[in-house]
Amino acid sequence: MKFGLVVPTYRSILDAGRTAPEMVAVAVEAERLGLDSVWVGDTLAKAPIDPLTLLGAFAARTERVTLGTAALLPALRDPLLSANAILSLDLLSQGRITLGVGAGFAGRSEPEFAFTRVPWERRRARLDDIVALWRHVWSGKSGPFHGEVLHYDTLPEYPEPHRPGGPPVWLAAFTPGALKRVGRSYDGWLPYPPDVADYADGLAKIREAAVRPVTPALFATVLIEDDPIRARERLEDYAQRNYGVPLDFVEKIQVQIAGSRDEVAERLREYGEAGAEHVLIRIATQEPAGFDEQLPKVVEALPR
């Protein structure tokens, strides 16, 4: 299994005192600690540091780790300009970019689409079209592109990417339709189901329908805390501050792992046995000091 760190970039951690240069330092530390990748999120709802800009800074300060988005919302950006920005990152990082992408979460993402004047309707078809368009231009094609939503009669010419065909693109989704689309149109799968059996079942469905290799990944929220009562309280605080909803609601949707080092390791190992090959770790705290204190503990707990 490979393990990556999700670097918090949202407004809440900035308000708590984390600076943008310190975010870059976190990525450098993650590489020093032996992690395989570092990732950043994307949203307009909480005004984060721009993920593509931040990955450029990560690329300049790291040498080995994969640099990724977990997850980018491509619909919020012009498709051709984002294709160029991502290609630039690919060249600057010498092929270390991996893109987790999503179509938005119903009940939360609609305002972001409204901010950028992008229709919420047909958002999944729009996402698939954007990814197909990226691959089209990254492959050196400048001829017409006509998808279900996007249509271009002519396209600009792009330089050749570092990696043939450009960066791999993983779909962050878990709906039945998404499981079919992953194996047809994407290079990886990035869900966060709280039930290991659901993860295994979803991966089996993807492999049944796949026409291309797919990297099975996992987005997991983790906290090292020996006291089970305190662990629950800290997860509750994180859910309220991050989403504004109770933990009981969040943990029905996302995998939340809190406990001792051994308990966290065992839970992650279960997902590995279910097929997860690359696990993205989000540390459940909004406080910079708490994050920095948790990071080495989490790394020590990772099953290898």
Side-chain angles (χ1 to χ4, degrees):
M1 294 173 71
K2 293 183 178 180
F3 293 95
L5 176 69
V6 178
V7 180
T9 63
Y10 294 163
R11 177 68 181 271
S12 54
I13 200 159
L14 290 168
D15 289 345
R18 179 70 89 204
T19 67
E22 287 172 346
M23 294 174 187
V24 180
V26 169
V28 173
E29 178 66 4
E31 182 173 71
R32 189 192 70 80
L33 289 170
L35 291 171
D36 300 290
S37 56
V38 289
W39 305 77
V40 292
D42 182 31
T43 178
L44 282 179
K46 297 180 182 178
I49 300 294
D50 178 72
L52 301 183
T53 302
L54 192 55
L55 289 182
F58 289 1
R61 292 283 305 280
T62 60
E63 298 179 355
R64 173 186 56 81
V65 287
T66 294
L67 308 172
T69 55
L72 191 72
L73 295 173
L76 305 186
R77 296 164 175 82
D78 178 88
L80 292 178
L81 291 177
S82 61
N84 189 60
I86 293 163
L87 178 58
S88 300
L89 283 172
D90 172 72
L91 295 172
L92 286 167
S93 68
Q94 296 186 304
R96 291 189 287 135
I97 300 298
T98 292
L99 300 167
V101 300
F105 192 89
R108 296 189 63 87
S109 300
E110 291 90 339
E112 299 172 280
F113 279 66
F115 291 152
T116 52
R117 300 181 182 180
V118 175
W120 177 250
E121 296 74 19
R122 305 200 69 195
R123 62 190 184 280
R124 297 183 180 92
R126 182 180 298 276
L127 173 62
D128 291 349
D129 273 6
I130 292 172
V131 173
L133 174 65
W134 287 349
R135 291 193 174 123
H136 184 83
V137 297
W138 291 339
S139 298
K141 300 174 183 177
S142 58
F145 175 89
H146 295 287
E148 290 189 42
V149 177
L150 301 182
H151 298 277
Y152 296 87
D153 291 328
T154 60
L155 291 165
E157 293 184 10
Y158 289 75
E160 183 178 346
H162 185 276
R163 190 182 320 198
V169 184
W170 299 355
L171 182 61
F174 193 67
T175 64
L179 298 180
K180 296 178 181 178
R181 290 159 53 224
V182 169
R184 184 176 67 243
S185 304
Y186 291 84
D187 306 298
W189 182 44
L190 182 58
Y192 45 46
D195 190 319
V196 176
D198 287 342
Y199 184 93
D201 181 66
L203 182 56
K205 288 184 169 76
I206 288 171
R207 286 174 169 164
E208 287 174 6
V211 297
R212 57 194 298 147
V214 173
T215 298
L218 175 75
F219 187 106
T221 300
V222 170
L223 183 74
I224 305 297
E225 175 56 68
D226 292 335
D227 183 340
I229 295 176
R230 177 62 177 152
R232 187 76 183 174
E233 290 173 347
R234 294 179 69 178
L235 283 182
E236 180 68 51
D237 179 69
Y238 184 72
Q240 292 286 355
R241 295 177 66 180
N242 200 48
Y243 295 110
V245 296
L247 177 61
D248 286 345
F249 177 83
V250 175
E251 64 186 358
K252 292 176 183 177
I253 301 169
Q254 300 179 357
V255 56
Q256 309 274 314
I257 306 172
S260 68
R261 289 178 176 86
D262 289 344
E263 290 169 333
V264 168
E266 178 57 30
R267 185 76 168 139
L268 292 173
R269 193 175 291 112
E270 290 175 0
Y271 280 94
E273 292 171 354
E277 295 177 4
H278 201 138
V279 179
L280 282 56
I281 301 295
R282 179 177 65 172
I283 297 174
T285 180
Q286 297 278 17
E287 298 297 332
F291 180 94
D292 295 342
E293 184 264 341
Q294 280 280 313
L295 178 55
K297 293 182 180 180
V298 169
V299 172
E300 289 175 5
L302 298 179
R304 295 289 188 173

